[in-house]
Amino acid sequence: AELNAAVSLSQLGRDVSWISAVGNDAAGLKILYQSKRIGVDTSSVIIMDEYQTGEYTVDFDTFAIEYRRSESAFANLSHTMLDLSLREYMQNARWLHISGITPLLGELPRGVWSTSMALAELDGVKISLDFNHRPALSNWNELWGIVEPHLRRINLLTLSETDSRKINQMYQLTGENATLEDILVAIQKNWLVTWIACTVKQSEADGSQKRWSIIAGPQEVVSSRGNPTVHSPVEPLGGGDAWIGAILDGMLSNMPLNNNLHRADKYAALVQSSPGDLSTIT
């Protein structure tokens, strides 16, 4: 997920570094080759001989997914393995982007995850966190319990509609009939996160998809609900990560939130107009 966002930012002309680990195998080397080709700096990615790149298989009869990640290279990555310190790798960075997938992959990646946030906060690097709950990795409450203590250091928190409504119900922030926009405003005020974002995807009867989004910030809440992007995804992968990449690019350019939101919706739709989850849209 983090690599998808990095690729989108690189395609949009930003200098991006990806900190990760892959196995010394065909899958890992292909990922590195494709990332470098697009312009992502992979100098801090560790290639491990003793562990494989994480994989999963899909049963297309039942659509069940089987993950093999517990002994993957990334699940065994510690920040002490990096050639330079984690702080040196993030020197001069303006944003750190992470997801809720990482801390569920093992104690070592969780350590990289939490340490990177602590160092970013120390050095004034803004932090973007995509909650991105994956049921195959944990129940929702477990991930929320890991993320919630860090919320006051987050600058951009991206949630799904389901996440937003669960948080609202858990803490009774607003009434039962509150709009999604009202809920995001309440979450933003309760945890003092600079910006809370939510992307919404609605399937239409003709097979198309309606995409719109919301950002609640300290001064305003902006929504593209009234001006959604309607498209027909070739493959429904990578849209959320591309949306985050475009939003961060717009924030780096000080783009007005309303314009940034609509542009990010369009960008996510364009990324899903071709197979795969890596952006090909410059």
Side-chain angles (χ1 to χ4, degrees), residues 106-169:
E107 289 299 321
L108 289 174
R110 187 182 299 185
V112 179
W113 183 82
S114 58
T115 302
S116 67
M117 276 193 284
L119 293 173
E121 183 181 36
L122 187 66
D123 291 338
V125 179
K126 291 185 174 72
I127 302 169
S128 164
L129 171 63
D130 180 12
F131 191 74
N132 207 341
H133 174 244
R134 300 296 173 94
L137 292 175
S138 78
N139 63 52
W140 190 92
N141 287 331
E142 181 185 355
L143 179 57
W144 177 249
I146 293 169
V147 169
E148 196 271 342
H150 297 280
L151 287 185
R152 291 189 184 274
R153 58 172 39 139
I154 303 300
N155 299 95
L156 173 64
L157 174 66
T158 304
L159 303 168
S160 69
E161 181 176 4
T162 300
D163 299 330
S164 304
R165 296 195 183 280
K166 278 188 175 181
I167 295 167
N168 184 51
Q169 185 177 33

Side-chain angles (χ1 to χ4, degrees), residues 21 33 50 78 97 102 141 146 159 215 223 227 237:
Y33 169 77
E50 61 271 42
S78 166
H97 175 64
T102 302
N141 287 331
I146 293 169
L159 303 168
I215 292 185
S223 172
N227 187 21
L237 296 171

